[in-house]
Structures are given as structure tokens and as C-alpha cells.
Amino acid sequence: MPTENSQKMINATILSEFSLTGLNGTTTKERVILFSFSLLCYSVILLVNGALIVTIILEEKLHEPMYIFLCNLCINSIFGTTGFYPKFFFDLLSNTHVISYTGCLLQVFVIYSYVATDFSILTLMAYDRYVAICRPLEYHSVMTKHRIVLLVCFSRLVPFLCQGIVVIMTSKLELCGSHIGKLYCENWSILKLSCSSITTNSIVGFMVILFYCGHDLFIMCSYVPLIKSALKSREGRRKFIQTCVPHFLCLLNVTVALLFDLMYARYGSSSISQSVKNFMAIQFLVIPPVLNPIIYGLKLTQVRNSFLSLCTDNKQFFT
């Protein structure tokens, strides 16, 4: 007669896939509408981010630290959303919403590292603006090509390392369930399926969250001398409005979207309808990737003019 613990071990051993229950109860009509909206949203994300990437790569005058960081921000948006939308499209067209165990952990890694990398890049952009406005005479000696390469690599590798540790620790857990009540795989939802204690996982996850909250704190602190310096001259105010305001809007956009999801995942009410839960779960995969390049494209005159110039040149080439 198997004991309860042995049954849990069996359940954990044979688990090979997860069931995503976020779409349960949706009608065919609702799925068609959701598919159309999601396809439009993903197309806009690829278009606006891709346009900014191509513009920055092709225009030599945009090969400056701030624009290089912006290009990486757009690349990261495409990377992160690609970890969600293709699988989501497949689920909308299918009656079964399952994902393999390996695929689930991979999706967790991609989505979480996307968010962490966003914070890292926004921190680099804040540092770049601090040096440019508060220490303009030292800017080119501080922001050298070698240092920019190191900073970009750092902004990629550290999030990958942090999320790699989180995913590896999650993969070691014995799970007694396979139902995830979301549209995609999320680490906290997997942890709640564990048969054993998740204290260590929670502590490590909390440390990672604190680490990236520290990024936010660093950015906010960097804005104090930035504002003081900007108020001293008309040129400083112009630089601040053109480059720091869009940066702050992007930071606010990402932070609010992520905290909204994190807090709801842990403390949200179960009485809220599934459609509202779904929106809360994916809004950080919809709003920041769409708005960030648009905010920068509209606010940064040099980027906007370069994009319009490229469009005009291509139009003349084809006519």
C-alpha cells in the first residue's frame, strides 16, 4: 500500500508537461477576438522595435552610447515577447493548452531574464545620462567603446545568471500538480505546485527582486544630481527634457507593469474574473514593449529625424 509521500514522489517523477488553465472557459468567439488583438499587438511590437533597431544600426551618427543602449532595449523587447506570443497563439487555436516541462522552464527563463535585462539596460541609460549632463567634460573618457561593450555584456549576462539559478533551483523541486492558472509559465505558479518546502527558492527569488529594486533606487538617486544640473542652464534643461524624460517614462512603465504582476501573483484576490487575471498577468508583455520605442522615437529628435530620413530615402529608391 503506497504511502502519501511515495505517491507524491510518483507524481513528481512522471510529470512531463503542465496544463495552462488561463484560457479555460473562453468561447471560440472570444479566442478569435483575443487572437486578432494579440497578433496586432505582437506585429506592432516587432514593427516599432525593429524600426528603431534598424534606424540605429544604419545611421552612423546614432552610434553613441545612449542609442546603443536603446537598441539593446528594443532587441530585449523582441526577445522577451517571443518567449510568450508564439505559444499563446498556438493555445488560442488549440483546444488543449499544455506545455512540456522543459518548455515551461525555458519560458520562465526567457520572460524573467527579459524583465531583468530591461531594468539593467535602463540603469545603464541612467548612468549614461548622469555622466553626459553632470560630467560633460569627462563623458568621452568615461563612456569609451570598450566600457560600453562591457556594460552591454554585463546587462545581459547578470540577468541570465540570476534567472538561470532561479530556474535550476525550480527544476530540482518535486511537484505534485501540473495545473498553472495563467496563460504562460510563471515561476511562482510552479513553486506553489511543490510537494516540499520552497523556503530556499522564495529567499533566492526575493533576493533577486531586491537586487533589481536596487536598480530602480540607483536610477532614482541619479536623477537628483541630474535635475540639479539641468536647472542651471537652458542647454541642460533641453538635454534633460529630450533624453531623461523618455527614460523616466520607460522606467515607470516597466516598473509599474512588473510590480503589478508580482504583487497580484502573490496577494491577488481569487474572486477576480479570469479575464482580469489574464490581463494583469500579461500587461508587462504588452505595454512596455509597445510604448518604450514609441516614447523614445517621439521624444528623441535625432532618432525621429533619422527614421524619417531613412523612410524618405527608401521611398525615393523604390520610385
Side-chain angles (χ1 to χ4, degrees):
M1 185 77 178
T3 64
E4 183 179 351
N5 286 337
S6 64
Q7 185 62 46
K8 287 181 177 181
M9 289 289 288
I10 293 171
N11 288 344
T13 303
I14 64 175
L15 180 63
S16 61
E17 63 182 25
F18 291 96
S19 174
L20 303 174
T21 62
L23 286 174
N24 287 4
T26 55
T27 64
T28 303
K29 182 180 179 180
E30 289 172 338
R31 289 187 194 178
V32 170
I33 294 172
L34 197 53
F35 180 87
S36 302
F37 175 77
S38 300
L39 183 61
L40 175 63
C41 183
Y42 188 47
S43 300
V44 171
I45 289 172
L46 294 178
L47 179 63
V48 295
N49 285 280
L52 215 54
I53 292 168
V54 171
T55 301
I56 293 171
I57 290 174
L58 294 182
E59 284 291 327
E60 288 189 17
K61 61 184 177 183
L62 297 180
H63 293 176
E64 298 177 9
M66 181 178 63
Y67 302 115
I68 292 172
F69 296 147
L70 175 57
C71 182
N72 276 275
L73 189 69
C74 294
I75 291 172
N76 188 54
S77 292
I78 294 176
F79 165 73
T81 52
T82 301
F84 166 71
Y85 281 99
K87 176 65 174 77
F88 184 50
F89 293 147
F90 180 81
D91 286 343
L92 287 170
L93 298 175
S94 173
N95 291 322
T96 57
H97 312 131
V98 296
I99 185 170
S100 68
Y101 181 85
T102 303
C104 188
L105 293 180
L106 179 61
Q107 190 174 55
V108 169
F109 174 78
V110 171
I111 292 176
Y112 277 52
S113 58
Y114 144 71
V115 174
T117 302
D118 252 17
F119 277 106
S120 297
I121 295 173
L122 287 169
T123 303
L124 295 184
M125 295 172 80
Y127 175 68
D128 174 75
R129 290 301 86 201
Y130 167 77
V131 177
I133 295 176
C134 299
R135 298 160 57 188
L137 299 179
E138 303 173 44
Y139 182 76
H140 292 292
S141 62
V142 173
M143 301 302 291
T144 61
K145 290 182 179 180
H146 178 68
R147 181 165 293 178
I148 292 168
V149 171
L150 288 177
L151 290 174
V152 170
C153 291
F154 178 83
S155 71
R156 289 280 175 184
L157 294 178
V158 173
F160 282 1
L161 177 63
C162 290
Q163 302 311 322
I165 292 172
V166 169
V167 169
I168 289 172
M169 290 182 66
T170 300
S171 70
K172 302 296 183 183
L173 293 174
E174 297 168 359
L175 305 179
C176 298
S178 61
H179 295 285
I180 296 176
K182 299 188 78 168
L183 300 173
Y184 60 90
C185 286
E186 185 246 356
N187 194 58
W188 181 250
S189 297
I190 299 175
L191 294 183
K192 289 192 293 185
L193 300 175
S194 175
C195 308
S196 53
S197 172
I198 59 170
T199 302
T200 304
N201 300 73
S202 297
I203 291 172
V204 172
F206 187 66
M207 289 172 63
V208 172
I209 292 173
L210 280 181
F211 177 65
Y212 285 101
C213 284
H215 285 49
D216 252 10
L217 184 61
F218 171 84
I219 295 172
M220 295 304 176
C221 290
S222 73
Y223 265 80
V224 176
L226 276 174
I227 294 171
K228 288 181 179 179
S229 179
L231 293 175
K232 292 179 181 179
S233 66
R234 186 174 180 179
E235 179 64 17
R237 287 194 295 271
R238 186 186 66 81
K239 280 186 178 181
F240 182 84
I241 292 172
Q242 279 197 343
T243 61
C244 296
V245 170
H247 175 268
F248 178 75
L249 291 175
C250 289
L251 175 67
L252 188 66
N253 186 19
V254 173
T255 303
V256 171
L258 181 62
L259 286 179
F260 198 59
D261 180 63
L262 285 174
M263 292 302 102
Y264 176 76
R266 286 159 175 76
Y267 311 112
S269 172
S270 58
S271 62
I272 298 176
S273 67
Q274 187 62 47
S275 58
V276 175
K277 291 180 184 178
N278 290 341
F279 174 75
M280 290 178 174
I282 68 169
Q283 39 81 37
F284 74 95
L285 289 163
V286 176
I287 301 172
V290 172
L291 288 187
N292 287 354
I294 292 176
I295 289 171
Y296 270 101
L298 292 175
K299 291 297 293 183
L300 294 182
T301 305
Q302 201 166 2
V303 172
R304 186 172 66 250
N305 292 342
S306 296
F307 176 72
L308 293 174
S309 176
L310 285 174
C311 290
T312 303
D313 291 343
N314 288 333
K315 185 177 180 181
Q316 291 176 349
F317 176 78
F318 287 109
T319 54

